[in-house]
Amino acid sequence: MSKIVIIGGGLAGLAAAYRLSDEHDVTVVEKDDELGGMVQSYHVADYHIEKYYHHFFSSDTELKELIAELGLSGRVQWVKGTTGYYWGGKAYPMNTPMEILKFPPMSLLDIFRLGMLVLRTKLVKDVSSYDNITAGEWILKTAGRGVFNNFFQPLLNSKFGSSAAVVSAAWLVGRVKIRSNRGAEGERLGYIRDGFQLLVTALTESIQQKGGRIITGNSAEQILQDGGRISGVRLNAGSLSCDTVISTVPPMTLASMIAPEALDFDPTAIHYQGTCCALLGMSKSLMTDGTYWLNIKADVPFGALIEHTNFMPTSDYGGEHLLYIASYFQDREDPLYAQSKDEVMKMFLEGLESMYPDFDRSDVQWWELGRDAQTAPVYETGYASRILPYKTNIDGLYLAGMFSEANYPERSMNGSVRAGYEAAGAVVRDP
Ligand SMILES: Cc1cc2nc3c(=O)[nH]c(=O)nc-3n(C[C@H](O)[C@H](O)[C@H](O)COP(=O)(O)OP(=O)(O)OC[C@H]3O[C@@H](n4cnc5c(N)ncnc54)[C@H](O)[C@@H]3O)c2cc1C
């Protein structure tokens, strides 16, 4: 029986603990008071709602199986996720080929080229061969400037900000492959009715029932070694002895916990970006045409609006309309991270007013602003060669998270669950 400390109580850490706690002595250490990491929720009135918008896809095999094992399948809803594109001061629905044909900035030739690009991505078997060319170069070569300027460039900018120009075609191809997997009526997205909080709670309970221990509100500070192998973890308060560590924290955090010269790879070679995301509880719907996800090309400090209650019924949320305002940033100096929450909210509300003249601030009953400086890898060219291993060169040290192969070329809940399983499998396989 191994004595295992898992650093991080997000989905990767919890999935690994879920797999290992039957047979091993497992302790999960989470720095926050709440478990769940990126899929943490706010507790509002008598419901839970994710801090960051979440849904999953029919191709998310491991996540669906985990949901089933935990007895939550009955709560899963598959709903058409309606999307739109805000351009030239107006929102356009983009769910059917006909609607895409009517998108004004694109000529018929552009639409044809976009269609051909999507078809090409479907034929790609191994996206890693697209890792050394930027998404921009590949789109320009494959579909031309019209498609790039009017369709993909605003999406890349809103997703990666100033890093958009270095994002690899592998990321884009992988993403388009998933997102274009829809029937004529549009894709169906999965959601656990009452929130992913149920998944986090069910996982936690299952780990504890199997004898696993969970410590929250205490961060890991240093991974300890003795004679070249893992011997423990020093925490902010106290320490734990162990022979195995699975770290699920961002690579930069890992680099601060262990002497970099001990590793035969460079965790700092992977750059993470941050997320700034407001959640508004409103008395009225904003996107009254029923759009769930709106991508935006406009001079506003956010890249997408996601109206959760155009996806799940408002009756699940006491009749409130829930709207996410989503934005990513590249460094801690960005106003989205550096300014106070009130200042960021002021910018966001002004942006909403410029897009929707009928929007009335008094319809906002409450708001929360969630922001984290390290929320996802930037999939730059050459990223595939920087993916971190599940099993490291240090005896007893394993890794799983958004930086793992399972989360390439797009991070997801499914990828993190799979990464947790892979690291757990590597622990079990080792003598
Ligand atoms: C804005 C946003 C939207 C998303 N939307 C979707 C979506 O719609 N569908 C989808 O499938 N996926 C989505 N994702 C991705 C998904 O949420 C992640 O891939 C997944 O939840 C990551 O899990 P993880 O365990 O790998 O990492 P994390 O959730 O980051 O977990 C790492 C944990 O480690 C903890 N930690 C950090 N440092 C320490 C320390 N020193 N000591 C102890 N603990 C520490 C953190 O607090 C955190 O809980 C989204 C992500 C973001 C940011």
Side-chain angles (χ1 to χ4, degrees):
M1 182 192 262
S2 299
K3 205 164 176 200
I4 304 167
V5 172
I6 297 176
I7 307 176
L11 287 181
L14 294 176
Y18 173 72
R19 276 288 158 94
L20 291 167
S21 44
D22 261 337
E23 309 261 327
H24 298 276
D25 177 344
V26 174
T27 304
V28 178
V29 180
E30 167 55 50
K31 73 170 170 46
D32 290 349
D33 292 336
E34 304 281 330
L35 294 164
M38 293 304 127
V39 78
Q40 259 181 38
S41 296
Y42 298 119
H43 192 180
V44 184
D46 59 353
Y47 63 82
H48 285 92
I49 176 72
E50 293 77 26
K51 175 170 142 185
Y52 302 135
Y53 40 91
H54 274 80
H55 54 245
F56 60 104
F57 298 99
S58 54
S59 53
D60 288 345
T61 310
E62 286 80 2
L63 181 64
K64 286 195 302 187
E65 281 171 8
L66 177 62
I67 289 170
E69 282 170 34
L70 294 169
L72 294 172
S73 295
R75 300 265 192 167
V76 173
Q77 296 254 300
W78 290 99
V79 181
K80 207 168 103 180
T82 48
T83 59
Y85 209 129
Y86 187 91
W87 177 89
K90 198 171 164 229
Y92 294 88
M94 296 285 273
N95 302 294
T96 62
M98 211 49 207
E99 287 173 350
I100 295 170
L101 271 173
K102 287 185 189 158
F103 187 45
M106 306 256 287
S107 66
L108 271 182
L109 182 62
D110 286 342
I111 305 273
F112 173 75
R113 286 174 161 166
L114 175 62
M116 293 307 287
L117 180 145
V118 171
L119 281 180
R120 268 185 82 158
T121 65
K122 284 178 184 285
L123 299 174
V124 173
K125 293 249 171 345
D126 176 16
V127 293
S128 56
S129 55
Y130 290 78
D131 193 50
N132 286 317
I133 172 168
T134 66
E137 285 169 308
W138 185 71
I139 298 162
L140 284 170
K141 209 170 75 174
T142 315
R145 185 152 294 281
V147 174
F148 178 67
N149 286 356
N150 296 316
F151 193 80
F152 284 113
Q153 194 179 30
L155 298 183
L156 281 164
N157 287 345
S158 74
K159 188 92 184 154
F160 295 105
S162 56
S163 297
V166 296
V167 168
S168 77
W171 173 79
L172 185 96
V173 171
R175 180 122 181 126
V176 174
K177 263 169 97 72
I178 299 175
R179 296 308 304 244
S180 59
N181 182 20
R182 52 168 84 177
E185 293 201 337
E187 70 192 331
R188 295 207 174 254
L189 305 174
Y191 188 75
I192 300 182
R193 196 89 175 258
D194 295 331
F196 289 98
Q197 171 67 27
L198 288 180
L199 174 66
V200 173
T201 304
L203 260 175
T204 309
E205 285 171 2
S206 174
I207 292 163
Q208 288 170 330
Q209 272 159 19
K210 294 178 199 191
R213 239 180 10 128
I214 296 188
I215 300 173
T216 53
N218 196 354
S219 61
E221 303 287 322
Q222 198 187 352
I223 296 172
L224 306 170
Q225 293 177 75
D226 188 7
R229 70 158 299 135
I230 294 298
S231 60
V233 177
R234 184 169 61 74
L235 307 180
N236 183 33
S239 65
L240 296 166
S241 68
C242 63
D243 50 56
T244 303
V245 164
I246 301 179
S247 173
T248 71
V249 301
M252 291 298 282
T253 311
L254 171 69
S256 71
M257 291 198 286
I258 195 150
E261 61 275 11
L263 299 167
D264 66 1
F265 58 91
D266 178 11
T268 63
I270 292 186
H271 301 129
Y272 267 40
Q273 64 176 6
T275 299
C276 175
C277 180
L279 176 61
L280 275 52
M282 312 213 297
S283 57
K284 275 190 193 152
S285 167
L286 180 81
M287 297 191 274
T288 49
D289 63 354
T291 298
Y292 165 53
W293 190 292
L294 186 74
N295 290 309
I296 298 166
K297 182 176 183 181
D299 188 18
V300 289
F302 44 86
L305 293 174
I306 299 125
E307 192 158 339
H308 182 76
T309 40
N310 281 344
F311 179 49
M312 288 294 121
T314 50
S315 52
D316 286 5
Y317 306 97
E320 285 181 332
H321 298 263
L322 302 180
L323 178 79
Y324 290 102
I325 306 176
S327 201
Y328 298 94
F329 58 90
Q330 303 304 307
D331 54 66
R332 290 168 193 259
E333 282 72 52
D334 192 296
L336 292 173
Y337 193 71
Q339 291 194 353
S340 73
K341 289 190 174 184
D342 283 337
E343 284 168 323
V344 173
M345 224 23 232
K346 184 169 172 290
M347 288 196 295
F348 279 1
L349 291 175
E350 284 167 1
L352 278 188
E353 282 163 347
S354 74
M355 288 173 65
Y356 292 90
D358 290 344
F359 167 72
D360 184 344
R361 288 183 190 213
S362 66
D363 293 335
V364 179
Q365 294 166 329
W366 57 264
W367 59 266
E368 296 278 356
L369 190 83
R371 39 185 188 179
D372 287 283
Q374 296 189 67
T375 53
V378 177
Y379 295 99
E380 299 166 64
T381 48
Y383 180 89
S385 62
R386 294 176 214 147
I387 288 170
L388 302 192
Y390 294 115
K391 173 179 161 56
T392 72
N393 60 302
I394 297 179
D395 236 2
L397 178 63
Y398 301 80
L399 309 174
M402 283 189 269
F403 46 77
S404 300
E405 197 182 358
N407 267 316
Y408 173 78
E410 172 69 344
R411 50 99 179 112
S412 67
M413 294 182 282
N414 189 68
S416 285
V417 168
R418 191 144 68 83
Y421 288 171
E422 291 283 350
V427 169
V428 170
R429 276 193 301 278
D430 273 356

